Amino acid sequence: MVEFKTEKKIVPIDRIVPNRWNPNFQDKMMFEKQKNSIEKLGFLGSILVRKINHTSADYEIMDGEHRWKALKEQGGIECPVEIITDEVSDQEAQLLTILLNNLRGKDDVFKRAKILEALDEGQLSLLPMTAEEIEHE
C-alpha cells in the first residue's frame, strides 16, 4: 500500500467536484446545521482531494463533500484543501472515501453529556443533534 503525501492549499471552489461513489448521506437537517456551523464558526480544517484531469475541474473530493457543498451554497469562492500529491487510482480513492467516512471513532457518552451541559443554547444549536437528542443525553 502507498503512503500518500499531501499539500495544503486554498483553491477556487468551482475547481473541485465531488466523487461519483460517496456512500455517505447527510439529511436536510444535518446539512442545514453544517451550513450554520460554517456561517457562525468559519470553515474549519480542509477537505481531502486528489488531482484529476478527466473533467473540467482540477480536484475530486475524497473526504469533506458535505462541508464543500455547504460552503459552495453559502457563496464561498475558495476552499481550503489538502491535496494528495501522489497519483491516486479510482480504487484507492474509493478506499479512502469509505475509510475516512468510518474512522472517526465514537464519543464516550458520559464525557459528551458533561460537555453538552456546559454549552449555551447558541452553541448547542450548531451541533448535529436535535434538541430532543441533546436533552436525552
Side-chain angles (χ1 to χ4, degrees):
M1 182 64 67
V2 174
E3 185 175 319
F4 295 109
K5 293 176 182 56
T6 63
E7 169 187 3
K8 292 187 177 190
K9 282 185 170 182
I10 305 291
V11 303
I13 202 163
D14 63 352
R15 304 307 303 163
I16 304 166
V17 294
N19 67 56
R20 303 168 306 282
W21 52 77
N22 187 4
N24 191 288
F25 173 78
Q26 193 174 55
D27 66 30
K28 184 177 169 107
M29 183 200 73
M30 287 299 177
F31 185 67
E32 290 304 315
K33 287 194 176 256
Q34 181 83 71
K35 290 191 326 190
N36 193 29
S37 73
I38 291 171
E39 182 180 316
K40 303 278 191 228
L41 304 173
F43 193 93
L44 302 173
S46 56
I47 64 170
L48 183 66
V49 299
R50 69 174 176 162
K51 294 178 185 177
I52 56 170
N53 58 14
H54 55 79
T55 71
S56 60
D58 298 319
Y59 306 100
E60 184 176 64
I61 300 169
M62 301 294 94
D63 187 50
E65 179 179 337
H66 299 112
R67 289 183 297 130
W68 166 82
K69 184 179 176 186
L71 181 63
K72 189 171 183 171
E73 280 194 16
Q74 290 175 315
I77 56 172
E78 294 181 318
C79 184
V81 298
E82 187 167 354
I83 305 163
I84 298 173
T85 58
D86 306 285
E87 182 77 23
V88 179
S89 71
D90 283 352
Q91 188 176 25
E92 290 168 321
Q94 290 167 349
L95 169 68
L96 288 172
T97 296
I98 293 174
L99 184 67
L100 294 169
N101 278 344
N102 291 281
L103 277 183
R104 303 277 192 262
K106 296 188 181 198
D107 290 346
D108 176 311
V109 294
F110 297 109
K111 287 182 179 180
R112 182 176 61 213
K114 282 189 145 270
I115 293 169
L116 292 174
E117 288 175 352
L119 298 177
D120 66 40
E121 193 173 309
Q123 293 169 317
L124 291 171
S125 72
L126 298 175
L127 295 174
M129 303 167 78
T130 65
E132 293 80 24
E133 290 170 327
I134 292 169
E135 184 62 33
H136 179 72
E137 291 280 328

